Amino acid sequence: MPTSLLNNLTSLSAQSSLAASSANLNRTVQRLSSGLRINSSGDDAAGLAIANKYRSDIAVLNQGIRNANDGQSTLQIIDGGLNTISNLLDRAATLASQSASDTFNGNRDTLQQEFSNVLSEITRQAQNIGLVQNGVNNKTLTTVIGGGSDAFALSGTNNGIQIDLSGAANRVDAVSLGLSNLNIASLGKVTASGGVDFRDTSKTLTAAETLTFKTLQSDGTFGTAFTVTIAAGATTTAALSTLNSDTNLKAAGITASVNAQTGALEFKGSSLFTVSSDTAASSVQTGISTAANDIQFSSNANNVSLQATASSSTRAQTFTFNVNGQTIDLTISNTSNQTAAQNAAALKTAINNNQKLRDAGIVAIDTNTTATDTIRIISAKSNFTYSIGTASGSGSGNLFGAATTSAQSATAATTTGSAGAKDALDSLKTAISNLGKVQGTVGSGQNRLAQAIDLATSQVTNFQAAESRIRDADVTAEASNLSRLSVLQQAGVAALAQANQASQAVLSLLR
């Protein structure tokens, strides 16, 4: 190799080696100081992409564990409220059972007062835990956990848990549990409106007044009417005594009392009954009088009146009842130019002969007036709606007015006393079953969230280990490299010094 004054090739070679050793040493020191094998994309681009995916999964899973813990807290709050409601249902069942006993001699009104308070508290508790209509928890509760193989959108994926508390089936207020309109009190009630203030014992009736009563029979029809007459000039005290001493009223379980707040006369009975006054007996449950000091009765909302019409030739018209979600059709036929009264009688017969309607406590009766073309449909225990179809057949006219597709409704009278208490027990049994289904949903949700937390925790550990294997520095290897590269760097510096001294030897040749 020729000797040159211009180019020191040995020094250049030493510089190159020293630069490489210094770069490797710097990389090793960076890895040891950061603890990471990959400190920049250039260290391992493919490995960095994989490690970043693991890091993202770990971040989602850690938040998912917190989400699941929050979800469990929410379900525990709901579960606590459900347990309280369950205890309240037990108390309601206890009160209903006490009232249902025919041997109970206490005041059922007192039982009803507590029973109503229990139902109100059930609704309040349901509102607090958000399981009422439009409640905060009356929906599908979605908890994002992460760790799934699909995209983070929950539809059709395995990244989260859905707990379905939506819809009416998951509401636990008194109405949604089917506990509205339950009455375990002593008696049903019909209240007078206007007329005499029975708190004033000096008041007298200006004229005799006859009251007509009918009671609902076990076959779903009303029995033979009986009357009680209060003599003209009778004081309110005497009128009350006459009513409560009447043999027929006693046998029917009907008593008269005075409303302490309004002074109105009230009739209470152990089963559904009707009462009308002869002063203006315009409807079954309403006797409205224009004469001062007469007894008057307010209309109850458990009945609807229906007026028939005459139609020519042969016509037929369909009635459709909806009772507790069940549809019941009745077709009334006009055989040959029947009168309005005949059509009314035909509908009355069809309703009272229909077993499904009778089972629902729906009956048809006369209106106690001379208007024989009008009947009244009364519900003893079930709310109902009805609609009227279009008349068909030869001739013209409808049997019962124009067809209507918008159903008219009637609210059932409340069954009371021991019978009402027995109905309440049946309703409470169903309510307890429905509440148990909601509790089952909540309980299974709690278990699912606990299991999800276990899986997510395990996944975090495994993802962390996978990321560590890619991203973390091997301290043992890097420490060994540090020693090796430190020696190489020192040797490179020494060799470079020697290479730089080599040019001095050329000068000795020129002396």
Side-chain angles (χ1 to χ4, degrees), residues 96-106 108 270 416-422:
S97 178
Q98 186 177 8
S99 180
S101 175
D102 292 329
T103 58
F104 176 70
N105 296 319
R108 285 189 172 90
S270 57
T416 55
S418 61
K422 291 170 184 175

Side-chain angles (χ1 to χ4, degrees), residues 170-229:
N170 289 301
R171 298 173 194 153
V172 293
D173 56 288
V175 173
S176 298
L177 289 174
L179 303 179
S180 59
N181 297 325
L182 295 183
N183 193 333
I184 64 172
S186 296
L187 307 164
K189 183 166 64 177
V190 175
T191 306
S193 62
V196 174
D197 183 345
F198 271 75
R199 293 172 299 184
D200 186 349
T201 57
S202 66
K203 286 286 186 181
T204 59
L205 298 184
T206 58
E209 187 162 359
T210 299
L211 305 181
T212 302
F213 296 84
K214 287 184 179 182
T215 57
L216 187 67
Q217 306 299 298
S218 59
D219 64 355
T221 62
F222 280 84
T224 303
F226 60 89
T227 62
V228 180
T229 300

Side-chain angles (χ1 to χ4, degrees), residues 109-313:
D109 290 333
T110 302
L111 298 181
Q112 175 62 34
Q113 183 176 6
E114 183 180 354
F115 188 82
S116 297
N117 290 338
V118 168
L119 297 187
S120 296
E121 181 61 18
I122 287 174
T123 296
R124 192 186 73 83
Q125 296 272 349
Q127 289 171 339
N128 283 351
I129 61 176
L131 290 183
V132 294
Q133 187 171 12
N134 300 321
V136 295
N137 293 320
N138 187 214
K139 60 184 179 182
T140 298
L141 302 178
T142 300
T143 302
V144 177
I145 307 295
S149 58
D150 300 326
F152 286 115
L154 282 173
S155 178
T157 72
N158 58 355
N159 278 294
I161 289 177
Q162 293 181 323
I163 301 164
D164 188 4
L165 291 175
S166 63
N170 289 301
R171 298 173 194 153
V172 293
D173 56 288
V175 173
S176 298
L177 289 174
L179 303 179
S180 59
N181 297 325
L182 295 183
N183 193 333
I184 64 172
S186 296
L187 307 164
K189 183 166 64 177
V190 175
T191 306
S193 62
V196 174
D197 183 345
F198 271 75
R199 293 172 299 184
D200 186 349
T201 57
S202 66
K203 286 286 186 181
T204 59
L205 298 184
T206 58
E209 187 162 359
T210 299
L211 305 181
T212 302
F213 296 84
K214 287 184 179 182
T215 57
L216 187 67
Q217 306 299 298
S218 59
D219 64 355
T221 62
F222 280 84
T224 303
F226 60 89
T227 62
V228 180
T229 300
I230 302 173
T235 64
T236 54
T237 301
L240 201 62
S241 175
T242 297
L243 292 167
N244 284 326
S245 61
D246 185 83
T247 304
N248 289 327
L249 283 178
K250 285 183 176 180
I254 299 173
T255 60
S257 61
V258 180
N259 187 300
Q261 282 71 44
T262 65
L265 178 65
E266 292 182 342
F267 286 103
K268 299 180 180 180
S270 57
S271 64
L272 179 65
F273 65 95
T274 66
V275 56
S276 61
S277 168
D278 65 345
T279 56
S282 59
S283 67
V284 174
Q285 291 185 316
T286 305
I288 300 299
S289 171
T290 58
N293 297 338
D294 280 343
I295 302 171
Q296 304 171 27
F297 300 96
S298 60
S299 176
N300 288 345
N302 65 319
N303 59 88
V304 292
S305 60
L306 197 65
Q307 186 173 21
T309 58
S311 57
S312 64
S313 192

Side-chain angles (χ1 to χ4, degrees), residues 286-470:
T286 305
I288 300 299
S289 171
T290 58
N293 297 338
D294 280 343
I295 302 171
Q296 304 171 27
F297 300 96
S298 60
S299 176
N300 288 345
N302 65 319
N303 59 88
V304 292
S305 60
L306 197 65
Q307 186 173 21
T309 58
S311 57
S312 64
S313 192
T314 57
R315 303 284 283 170
Q317 199 162 10
T318 300
F319 268 73
T320 300
F321 287 85
N322 189 296
V323 185
N324 299 325
Q326 182 182 26
T327 299
I328 303 169
D329 291 325
L330 296 179
T331 299
I332 312 303
S333 298
N334 181 339
T335 56
S336 178
N337 299 323
Q338 291 184 172
T339 65
Q342 289 174 318
N343 287 334
L347 177 60
K348 174 185 172 183
T349 300
I351 291 174
N352 291 334
N353 288 342
N354 188 283
Q355 189 63 49
K356 292 180 180 179
L357 291 176
R358 287 175 56 180
D359 289 344
I362 296 174
V363 294
I365 60 175
D366 295 329
T367 58
N368 271 8
T369 72
T370 57
T372 56
D373 60 344
T374 304
I375 64 170
R376 186 165 292 269
I377 306 171
I378 296 181
S379 173
K381 61 182 180 181
S382 301
N383 297 340
F384 70 94
T385 61
Y386 73 88
S387 59
I388 308 174
T390 303
S392 61
S394 61
S396 62
N398 293 303
L399 280 67
F400 300 96
T404 173
T405 55
S406 57
Q408 302 181 53
S409 62
T411 303
T414 303
T415 305
T416 55
S418 61
K422 291 170 184 175
D423 287 347
L425 284 173
D426 290 338
S427 297
L428 285 164
K429 182 179 179 181
T430 302
I432 291 170
S433 175
N434 292 338
L435 180 69
K437 294 176 183 177
V438 180
Q439 288 177 302
T441 300
V442 171
S444 64
Q446 288 177 301
N447 292 335
R448 289 187 65 193
L449 287 175
Q451 293 158 0
I453 289 172
D454 289 342
L455 175 60
T457 301
S458 174
Q459 285 181 299
V460 166
T461 300
N462 293 328
F463 284 166
Q464 192 72 62
E467 185 203 7
S468 175
R469 283 190 288 269
I470 297 172

